[in-house]
Amino acid sequence: MTTRIEINCTTGEITEHELTQAELDQRETDRIAYEMEQANRESEAAAKALARTALLQRLGITEEEAELLK
């Protein structure tokens, strides 16, 4: 049973509600979208690192030398 907690800040009353099927479906949709976004970010970072490495190789300099140029 998956629930959400609702707190009324005015009265301090705390209530616990079971999630509806629509809320559960939305959670799953959000989880999948988040994982896809993370995978895209990781892929973009890897592509950027690969492009940087290729550029440095073409220029004939090492990572350490490139850091010194910053």
Side-chain angles (χ1 to χ4, degrees), residues 23-67:
E23 291 170 320
L24 292 170
D25 292 344
Q26 186 62 52
R27 278 183 76 180
E28 182 65 12
T29 299
D30 293 345
R31 182 190 65 77
I32 291 169
Y34 173 79
E35 288 178 358
M36 289 176 63
E37 187 175 323
Q38 287 297 100
N40 285 339
R41 284 187 187 141
E42 290 171 5
S43 176
E44 288 173 4
K48 186 176 178 180
L50 185 60
R52 177 182 167 85
T53 300
L55 175 63
L56 293 177
Q57 285 178 348
R58 282 196 313 269
L59 295 173
I61 61 176
T62 65
E63 283 285 340
E64 293 79 20
E65 291 169 332
E67 287 299 315

